Amino acid sequence: MANSAIYFYPGGSTYGGLNKIDFGERVSDLQITPYREVSDGVSMGGRFSRVARRSGMRVRIVLERFTDFRLAEQLYSLQSHVEAGRGFSFAVDDDKKFAAFVNLSSASSGFSYSHNTFNHEDRLLSEYGTPHGMVADDVLHIESFGPGGRREELQLQSYTLADKKIVTKTPAIYNHPLPSLVRHRDFFPYLIWPQGQMNSPIITHDHRVSWTLDITAEVYTGNLLASYGQAGPDGSNMSNDSQLRQGGTSLDKLYGGDHDHGKLYGDTADLYSDAEDFGLSLGGDSPIDKVSDMLSKIS
């Protein structure tokens, strides 16, 4: 078993590239809280109905009382990245960073309607390195998308890399619309630190002798789906041309679609460009005037 690790692009793909934070050990605790936003109604005749909206997942990552000063510095710097709405990947076991979109599911036996065989596309984020790491008995997470999406966990029976074929010990209980996503249960390709967590630091210390990481992040399924069709055999951000690689897709652009979300406007040119995308013409003589004008128009 390997250490836990975080992957992110603090300066995008053109400055610094991929950054890895190796915890030097396994996390102390991982808490996963799935949820779904719904609206319930009951008719005058007493009939219940439910409108199911988006689903999501909260992931709490805890590393208690570590004494690695360099790790503390890296996690302190990570907070600035996530404050800006940027995402990161997290692996409990750095040897098991498997995630891919399923493009075909079937039953291994012709007498069953339930599916236990799943063929997938190229592995997502293979540029993080190391093989897939999956072995029999590993727990996989499978989920489908949209308001009618479902999620479940299944144990791996066998995996054939050449055929990109997964066989699970038991069939899936849900018929997941394709494309669905399969990943190792403890690998999260894209996490966001939500607004509600902003008032608390992700890292605290005891007299600067030991530190504790405690961060609760969110899985947004729409962002996961945005990466469909963008993986390749050399990774989602890689290209055979070195110039193209330097201007390639960062983690946030991969999972955010075309819009570069979570932007802190240090460059006013970016602000003007984004405002034009929303049909706003920024007036005024100074950047502050132009921002104020834009905000008044939004209001």
Side-chain angles (χ1 to χ4, degrees):
M1 295 187 296
N3 298 333
S4 300
I6 283 174
Y7 293 82
F8 66 114
Y9 284 80
S13 59
T14 57
Y15 180 85
L18 179 63
N19 192 288
K20 175 183 177 182
I21 300 178
D22 187 333
F23 285 22
E25 57 182 305
R26 299 288 289 274
V27 288
S28 308
D29 190 19
L30 180 76
Q31 298 177 13
I32 300 172
T33 307
Y35 67 88
R36 182 182 292 275
E37 294 187 355
V38 302
S39 296
D40 287 353
V42 181
S43 70
M44 294 180 65
R47 184 181 294 247
F48 168 82
S49 65
R50 168 168 290 173
V51 176
R53 295 183 173 86
R54 72 173 183 89
S55 62
M57 182 178 290
R58 296 183 183 93
V59 181
R60 185 183 180 196
I61 303 164
V62 181
L63 182 63
E64 295 177 324
R65 303 188 66 81
F66 62 91
T67 56
D68 185 334
F69 279 53
R70 175 56 183 153
L71 177 59
E73 293 169 1
Q74 290 177 299
L75 294 172
Y76 176 85
S77 301
L78 172 68
Q79 178 158 342
S80 183
H81 174 82
V82 296
E83 283 173 348
R86 305 291 184 173
F88 64 96
S89 303
F90 174 70
V92 173
D93 184 339
D94 197 35
D95 284 344
K96 295 184 181 293
K97 300 185 293 291
F98 177 84
F101 283 100
V102 175
N103 54 24
L104 178 66
S105 61
S106 58
S108 59
S109 169
F111 299 101
S112 174
Y113 291 107
S114 301
H115 296 172
N116 72 329
T117 301
F118 305 90
N119 293 84
H120 66 81
E121 298 187 347
D122 288 319
R123 185 164 63 100
L124 290 168
L125 303 170
S126 58
E127 63 267 33
Y128 288 177
T130 74
H132 57 83
M134 293 201 301
V135 296
D137 299 328
D138 276 354
V139 179
L140 304 179
H141 172 96
I142 298 180
E143 65 181 304
S144 41
F145 299 95
R150 298 288 186 269
R151 60 179 175 268
E152 61 182 297
E153 291 183 347
L154 297 167
Q155 274 193 302
L156 179 68
Q157 176 174 301
S158 65
Y159 178 63
T160 307
L161 177 60
D163 297 332
K164 301 175 185 175
K165 184 172 74 172
I166 294 169
V167 179
T168 55
K169 288 188 173 182
T170 56
I173 63 172
Y174 299 116
N175 184 14
H176 295 277
L178 302 178
S180 56
L181 179 75
V182 58
R183 60 175 174 82
H184 190 279
R185 176 180 60 179
D186 292 338
F187 176 57
F188 303 91
Y190 193 68
L191 293 171
I192 289 287
W193 198 43
Q195 177 182 349
Q197 300 290 322
M198 282 290 179
N199 293 327
S200 57
I202 67 173
I203 182 172
T204 56
H205 65 83
D206 181 4
H207 299 86
R208 291 189 175 178
V209 175
S210 64
W211 285 263
T212 294
L213 168 71
D214 190 341
I215 179 172
T216 300
E218 291 258 1
V219 176
Y220 293 115
T221 55
N223 292 97
L224 292 177
L225 186 58
S227 65
Y228 175 62
Q230 299 191 55
D234 295 324
S236 306
N237 304 307
M238 302 298 288
S239 166
N240 292 328
D241 186 293
S242 60
Q243 292 181 343
L244 291 176
R245 186 180 303 124
Q246 290 175 359
T249 302
S250 70
L251 180 68
D252 294 287
K253 288 184 178 179
L254 173 69
Y255 285 103
D258 294 332
H259 178 57
D260 192 7
H261 66 289
K263 182 175 292 183
L264 288 180
Y265 290 104
D267 185 346
T268 54
D270 287 342
L271 174 61
Y272 306 153
S273 174
D274 278 9
E276 290 172 358
D277 290 342
F278 287 96
L280 298 172
S281 176
L282 301 185
D285 297 327
S286 70
I288 294 178
D289 292 334
K290 294 182 177 182
V291 172
S292 299
D293 184 63
M294 181 186 71
L295 292 176
S296 67
K297 289 180 179 180
I298 291 174
S299 298

